Amino acid sequence: RLKEIREGYKETEQELKTSGEKQISITDPDSRLMHAAQGTHVSYNVQMAIDGKHKMIVAMELTNEGNDQHQLSGIAGQAKEELGVEKIEVVTDMGYYDCDQVKASTDNGITVYMEKPAVKVLEGVFSKERFEYNAEKDVYICPAGEDLRYRTTDKQKSMRLYKTDSCERCGLKNQCTSGEGPRVIKRHIHEEVMEEMESRVKGNREKLRLRAGLVEHPWGTM
């Protein structure tokens, strides 16, 4: 009997390797282990879009991804199609913060309003916000006034890397990086859409407050 169980596990292991998935539920193959406020459970991730005028659920999708990071363009696109409009405004929370998703939504006529998550920085080290980006020259200007120029793109082809040769002789280096090499600033290839969104949100804080009310309606509907 133990040998039979072992063979069953081997089949499941092979199934995981073939599918590329990292986990599988034997009782409910479509579900996944997910973290929630109440702990870790075998669950689904439900996506919903609510229209701001009538508070109706206009689109819904069931996924088994453990977070919302890759869900924005899909559910927002479904809502846009269902409402039959060429353009739409979408307000959501920081759990959906992803450059590629915001870019895909923007290209689809979807204007996104979303708060930028706080970035964790090492204590005593200049944060990226201390580096001013000059779009015309495509350089970052560091606190010491030096230009960090584009050098290369990472292996994933998603981040552009900027640095300067002036770090070694800079008196602020210990405040800028904890490493031995120069300070490197990373910029996503679609980061301009995030900067536009950040500027848009700053001038429309009421949009974010609107979502705080809208998000409660689907619970009442269900």
Side-chain angles (χ1 to χ4, degrees):
R1 176 61 185 151
L2 289 175
K3 288 180 179 179
E4 289 177 2
I5 294 173
R6 186 176 64 177
E7 288 302 316
Y9 283 143
K10 286 183 178 180
E11 291 178 7
T12 302
E13 183 180 25
Q14 184 58 45
E15 185 180 340
L16 280 171
K17 289 180 180 179
T18 303
S19 66
E21 296 285 348
K22 295 182 179 180
Q23 55 175 289
I24 187 172
S25 171
I26 297 174
T27 55
D28 189 353
D30 291 329
S31 63
R32 295 291 183 273
L33 199 64
M34 300 183 189
H35 299 289
Q38 300 81 16
T40 303
H41 304 279
V42 177
S43 315
Y44 292 98
N45 183 344
V46 182
Q47 299 293 316
M48 286 188 185
I50 315 300
D51 87 283
K53 184 177 181 180
H54 302 289
K55 318 300 186 294
M56 299 291 290
I57 298 173
V58 296
M60 189 190 81
E61 184 176 13
L62 205 60
T63 77
N64 56 21
E65 288 199 31
N67 57 58
D68 299 326
Q69 200 167 9
H70 302 132
Q71 307 302 320
L72 177 63
S73 63
I75 191 66
Q78 288 183 40
K80 175 175 173 284
E81 183 178 351
E82 185 67 27
L83 291 171
V85 294
E86 293 184 4
K87 295 182 179 180
I88 191 175
E89 290 186 344
V90 170
V91 188
T92 188
D93 63 35
M94 294 182 288
Y96 291 85
Y97 198 88
D98 180 85
C99 285
D100 292 325
Q101 288 290 307
V102 175
K103 178 66 166 62
S105 299
T106 302
D107 292 344
N108 191 24
I110 300 168
T111 303
V112 182
Y113 290 83
M114 176 170 35
E115 193 84 82
K116 181 180 180 180
V119 179
K120 292 183 180 179
V121 295
L122 294 175
E123 187 175 352
V125 175
F126 294 140
S127 65
K128 182 180 176 180
E129 282 66 30
R130 294 288 301 274
F131 293 74
E132 179 185 352
Y133 181 67
N134 186 316
E136 185 177 345
K137 295 182 178 180
D138 189 25
V139 299
Y140 277 94
I141 304 171
C142 75
E146 297 289 343
D147 289 351
L148 279 72
R149 301 185 180 279
Y150 166 71
R151 297 298 180 88
T152 186
T153 304
D154 67 358
K155 293 180 180 179
Q156 288 73 37
K157 305 297 182 183
S158 62
M159 291 289 183
R160 291 165 58 85
L161 310 183
Y162 296 74
K163 59 183 179 179
T164 176
D165 297 326
S166 303
C167 283
E168 286 301 321
R169 57 181 182 273
C170 181
L172 299 178
K173 184 180 179 182
N174 290 337
Q175 296 173 254
C176 195
T177 176
S178 58
E180 296 182 1
R183 175 66 183 268
V184 177
I185 296 294
K186 296 181 180 181
R187 180 178 177 82
H188 195 279
I189 56 173
H190 300 317
E191 193 154 337
E192 69 278 359
V193 300
M194 309 306 276
E195 292 169 342
E196 291 172 3
M197 182 175 68
E198 185 178 2
S199 176
R200 186 165 60 242
V201 166
K202 285 181 179 179
N204 294 274
R205 301 297 301 180
E206 70 279 1
K207 295 280 188 182
L208 300 182
R209 290 192 290 270
L210 175 66
R211 183 195 175 276
L214 290 176
V215 76
E216 296 299 328
H217 285 275
W219 301 109
T221 301
M222 289 187 285

